[in-house]
Amino acid sequence: MRCCVCLFQQSLQCSPSKMAAGESNSRSSCLNLSNSGPLGNAPPSNSAHSSPASSGGAVAAAGGMNRSAGNANPRSGPESGGGAEPALRSTPSVHNPPRQSVCPSGATSGAASNMTATPSSSSSSSSASTASSSADASAAVASLPSSPASVLVYREPVYNWQATKSTVKERFLYSDEVQIGPETVMTTLYSAKKYAVPALEAHCVEFLKKNLRADNAFMLLTQARLFDEPQLASLCLENIDKNTADALAAEGFTDIDLDTLVAVLERDTLGLREVRLFGAAVRWAEAEAQRQQLQPTPENKRRVLGKALSLIRFPLMTIEEFAAGPAQSGILTDREVVSLFLHFTVNPKPHVEFIDRPRCCLRGKECSITRFSQVESRWGYSGTSDRIRFSVNRRIFVVGFGLYGSIHGPTDYQVNIQIIHTDSNTVLGQNDTGFSCDGTASTFRVMFKEPVEILPSVNYIACATLKGPDSHYGTKGMRKVTHEAPATGTKTCFTFCYAAGNNNGTSVEDGQIPEVIFYT
């Protein structure tokens, strides 16, 4: 089998260069490379000068060494003719690059493969005779100095030469067969990156993709960011989105770095309640404080969390969740706790320093339907909920309602929205919030804290309890409303029915809750 260095050498493209060595009677002797050695290389000489090749042939100068492929020892040249001086002994080598040179008498030798040989530092006072007799040739060799000639070898560097090769075999490696396991994949990927072997790198990344799971997603995400593998990082983030609870519960979660934690908490697509995200962040902070040899005090937890703390969306929690957890953790300041409690309890809601945009663990484009074809004025409120019953033909996720606002100009409303399972009277989703309107007949978005799953052919009640001045309302309502996705043509059909009980006058024909916002 050819060794890896030989294959490496043969993969380089070399440009011809000149090689000259020695002087004799104002005539240049040339390297005799007409005899090829193993692997197509010429047999180099370790003696001061090589022996004559044949009667009438020129005396060759000393053989060179390919230093770019390693310190390969030259070997003695062949003896021919009438007994030249013995050459210096050396270890045979197969590391010599392919060379070809046939020099006419009196001409400077041309050597293949971007190598240049220089004359010896000590000038040669003897000459190699071109006499026809072997005895004369031997005498000429015997008169040469005994010190070996100096040879300078130079190779032009080839930057990232492996990138031009399509298979692993072409990169001085023995085969394209790659055996990667869980214990070796990361070190192999590191080596492939370091030594620029793209094919081996691709094998490693493919192995990681096939073995990506919720319990190792955070570990692989850290490595993907470290090794600059954006495609693998994206797959890890998608896995975390779909399996957020399992991924956060995995042992490797607390080992990630702060930048990775921030990258995850910034996402709008995590499928977990905010109070549980806060709990996971606290667990990470405890581990990070230990790594930094800090006591796990609330102050140190806040310190190591840094920017990540501001990415927890406390306004999305219920007041009960916030009071039982974050408010008592000591991680938030007193001012932050008070402002968040005010956000939960009063209207208009004061500004808070934390994001109040809902996370949506859904893919695709937001959709909405409107059930009224006309808008009228003056719909009053006295604390009674507006309610309408509905069902759909396919599974969807409702994320909010569109509601009408004031007829008296810009106004703030306080509102509670709910979706109730009709048969069990279970509240599936709700939000106590508020919205501001501009006095127009437009609808104004009021969103749930989390998407509410709606199953096909099941009855639900959409409920909104508003506190504020008289508003616009809808008329000429439709019992069936169909939404068709522009890209796929998929149809989502809503059927609306009267909700029994006190509903503030809202029905299929008139009232509030004109719009349902959802994802499919």
Side-chain angles (χ1 to χ4, degrees):
M1 178 185 292
R2 293 188 181 184
C3 78
C4 59
V5 179
C6 294
L7 295 175
F8 168 72
Q9 290 176 342
Q10 291 178 359
S11 70
L12 298 177
Q13 296 179 351
C14 303
S15 59
S17 60
K18 294 183 178 181
M19 179 181 291
E23 290 183 353
S24 176
N25 294 332
S26 301
R27 297 178 61 187
S28 299
S29 300
C30 65
L31 288 175
N32 181 3
L33 303 177
S34 59
N35 295 329
S36 296
L39 301 179
N41 299 334
S45 171
N46 201 29
S47 62
H49 294 272
S50 62
S51 60
S54 60
S55 175
V59 179
M65 181 187 302
N66 179 4
R67 294 181 182 175
S68 69
N71 293 328
N73 293 325
R75 56 184 177 181
S76 58
E79 295 182 5
S80 61
E85 272 190 356
L88 295 176
R89 291 184 179 180
S90 65
T91 304
S93 171
V94 294
H95 294 291
N96 301 300
R99 295 175 292 178
Q100 294 180 353
S101 176
V102 179
C103 301
S105 176
T108 301
S109 168
S113 178
N114 66 343
M115 294 190 301
T116 303
T118 61
S120 171
S121 58
S122 60
S123 61
S124 173
S125 61
S126 300
S127 63
S129 175
T130 59
S132 59
S133 69
S134 60
D136 290 342
S138 300
V141 172
S143 66
L144 293 174
S146 59
S147 60
S150 298
V151 177
L152 175 63
V153 179
Y154 173 74
R155 267 190 199 281
E156 191 70 27
V158 180
Y159 175 73
N160 199 17
W161 61 271
Q162 298 183 79
T164 64
K165 308 301 178 184
S166 60
T167 66
V168 179
K169 277 184 177 178
E170 296 180 86
R171 298 172 175 84
F172 64 84
L173 299 176
Y174 285 106
S175 73
D176 264 334
E177 297 178 3
V178 181
Q179 294 183 352
I180 301 173
E183 299 81 10
T184 61
V185 62
M186 299 314 304
T187 53
T188 305
L189 178 59
Y190 169 79
S191 301
K193 284 277 190 181
K194 181 175 181 180
Y195 296 108
V197 189
L200 185 57
E201 176 187 339
H203 276 291
C204 294
V205 173
E206 190 62 29
F207 177 88
L208 293 173
K209 290 178 184 177
K210 291 179 180 178
N211 290 272
L212 174 61
R213 304 183 307 273
D215 61 352
N216 63 17
F218 273 107
M219 183 273 290
L220 293 184
L221 175 61
T222 300
Q223 300 298 326
R225 288 166 58 85
L226 176 65
F227 291 127
D228 190 25
E229 290 289 345
Q231 187 181 15
L232 177 59
S234 178
L235 290 175
C236 291
L237 288 170
E238 289 181 9
N239 189 288
I240 292 169
D241 286 343
K242 296 176 181 177
N243 308 281
T244 309
D246 292 338
L248 291 175
E251 186 176 341
F253 164 69
T254 56
D255 296 329
I256 64 176
D257 59 279
L258 178 60
D259 288 340
T260 302
L261 178 65
V262 168
V264 171
L265 292 179
E266 285 177 335
R267 296 177 68 77
D268 290 332
T269 48
L270 297 177
L272 196 66
R273 291 193 62 81
E274 212 66 27
V275 68
R276 296 184 62 185
L277 289 177
F278 174 77
V282 172
R283 282 196 298 112
W284 180 90
E286 291 170 350
E288 181 64 16
Q290 186 176 3
R291 284 191 289 269
Q292 296 187 22
Q293 298 182 343
L294 299 172
Q295 291 296 321
T297 62
E299 294 78 12
N300 285 336
K301 291 177 187 177
R302 183 184 179 101
R303 173 184 168 188
V304 299
L305 279 170
K307 180 186 176 183
L309 181 62
S310 65
L311 299 175
I312 303 295
R313 305 183 186 186
F314 295 102
L316 301 185
M317 300 179 185
T318 66
I319 189 171
E320 294 80 11
E321 289 173 338
F322 179 76
Q328 301 184 44
S329 68
I331 294 176
L332 297 175
T333 65
D334 291 343
R335 184 177 59 84
E336 290 168 339
V337 171
V338 170
S339 67
L340 283 165
F341 270 123
L342 290 174
H343 176 83
F344 291 127
T345 56
V346 304
N347 277 301
K349 296 188 178 300
H351 172 74
V352 292
E353 299 176 359
F354 300 96
I355 302 169
D356 60 358
R357 182 178 68 254
R359 299 187 194 267
C360 181
C361 57
L362 306 172
R363 306 294 189 277
K365 188 177 180 181
E366 182 181 284
C367 309
S368 65
I369 57 98
T370 300
R371 67 189 190 96
F372 296 119
S373 56
Q374 187 172 320
V375 181
E376 299 290 347
S377 297
R378 200 167 296 279
W379 192 263
Y381 305 98
S382 59
T384 304
S385 301
D386 288 273
R387 309 194 315 160
I388 188 70
R389 186 157 56 96
F390 73 96
S391 63
V392 293
N393 68 325
R394 61 194 302 263
R395 180 175 180 250
I396 65 169
F397 292 86
V398 173
V399 295
F401 299 145
L403 302 178
Y404 290 121
S406 174
I407 61 174
H408 301 295
T411 309
D412 292 327
Y413 281 86
Q414 184 177 352
V415 61
N416 172 275
I417 58 172
Q418 295 181 345
I419 291 183
I420 303 169
H421 186 273
T422 303
D423 293 340
S424 64
N425 203 35
T426 303
V427 177
L428 303 178
Q430 68 171 337
N431 191 16
D432 282 301
T433 184
F435 69 94
S436 298
C437 64
D438 58 7
T440 67
S442 303
T443 58
F444 300 91
R445 292 161 61 95
V446 181
M447 309 301 285
F448 290 101
K449 292 183 177 181
E450 291 183 340
V452 181
E453 182 181 23
I454 304 298
L455 299 177
S457 303
V458 177
N459 288 318
Y460 301 89
I461 294 175
C463 178
T465 308
L466 283 78
K467 291 182 181 179
D470 292 349
S471 72
H472 295 90
Y473 70 97
T475 64
K476 297 186 178 179
M478 295 170 281
R479 186 171 295 275
K480 290 183 181 272
V481 181
T482 300
H483 176 274
E484 183 173 347
T488 62
T490 303
K491 293 182 179 181
T492 304
C493 183
F494 285 76
T495 301
F496 294 97
C497 299
Y498 177 80
N502 195 347
N503 50 35
N504 200 41
T506 289
S507 65
V508 174
E509 293 78 18
D510 311 288
Q512 260 284 14
I513 317 179
E515 189 175 56
V516 179
I517 305 168
F518 66 99
Y519 282 76
T520 57

